[in-house]
Amino acid sequence: MEQAGSFRPRWGEQAKLRSPPAANSAANAQEMEELGDLQTKLEVRAETENNNVENLRKQMAAGGNNLRSDISASQSRMKVYMDKFSAALSAGDPVAAKKYMGMAEREVETLEKFFGH
């Protein structure tokens, strides 16, 4: 029994929803390739900022201090969004990949700004 407000296509309709037209497949493949290239560039930036945060965390801990919570939170969000970006690419979902790429990039930019890059 279906719940009110839920959409569940009939079995035959599900197959139609899953098969994209051939023209869209080529465009999708190109878009996924471009997103893969962007992922590589963003991963380098994210790894750089992650290393910067970890180095600062160690320096501050050595002095008996803690890292600012907003910077620590930004680092955590960046990692989660990068993982979701990667998962969306692996799943072949360009819409979700773009969403998480943008979210990850905002966190990378926050950390770059903090470190003066």
Side-chain angles (χ1 to χ4, degrees):
M1 184 172 177
E2 288 187 45
Q3 295 177 331
S6 67
F7 171 75
R8 186 172 179 186
R10 293 188 194 112
W11 185 80
E13 292 173 334
Q14 286 177 342
K16 290 179 196 172
L17 293 174
R18 288 189 198 134
S19 346
N24 285 344
S25 293
N28 188 45
Q30 181 179 355
E31 183 175 28
M32 293 301 291
E33 184 176 338
E34 289 170 4
L35 285 168
D37 291 342
L38 291 172
Q39 179 192 29
T40 300
K41 293 173 185 173
L42 188 56
E43 279 179 345
V44 170
R45 290 172 58 205
E47 186 63 29
T48 299
E49 296 313 316
N50 187 61
N51 290 338
N52 288 337
V53 171
E54 290 306 317
N55 289 336
L56 181 59
R57 187 186 314 274
K58 289 176 188 174
Q59 289 173 3
M60 294 190 77
N65 297 309
N66 293 319
L67 184 64
R68 285 178 27 189
S69 61
D70 62 324
I71 298 305
S72 183
S74 186
Q75 178 194 30
S76 295
R77 285 189 303 269
M78 176 188 70
K79 289 178 179 181
V80 169
Y81 298 150
M82 287 300 296
D83 288 343
K84 289 184 176 192
F85 178 25
S86 181
L89 283 177
S90 295
D93 185 350
V95 173
K98 286 179 188 176
K99 172 186 170 184
Y100 291 115
M101 178 184 70
M103 294 170 81
E105 189 163 29
R106 280 189 292 281
E107 299 303 332
V108 169
E109 288 170 354
T110 297
L111 295 173
E112 288 172 337
K113 184 177 177 182
F114 176 76
F115 287 106
H117 299 142

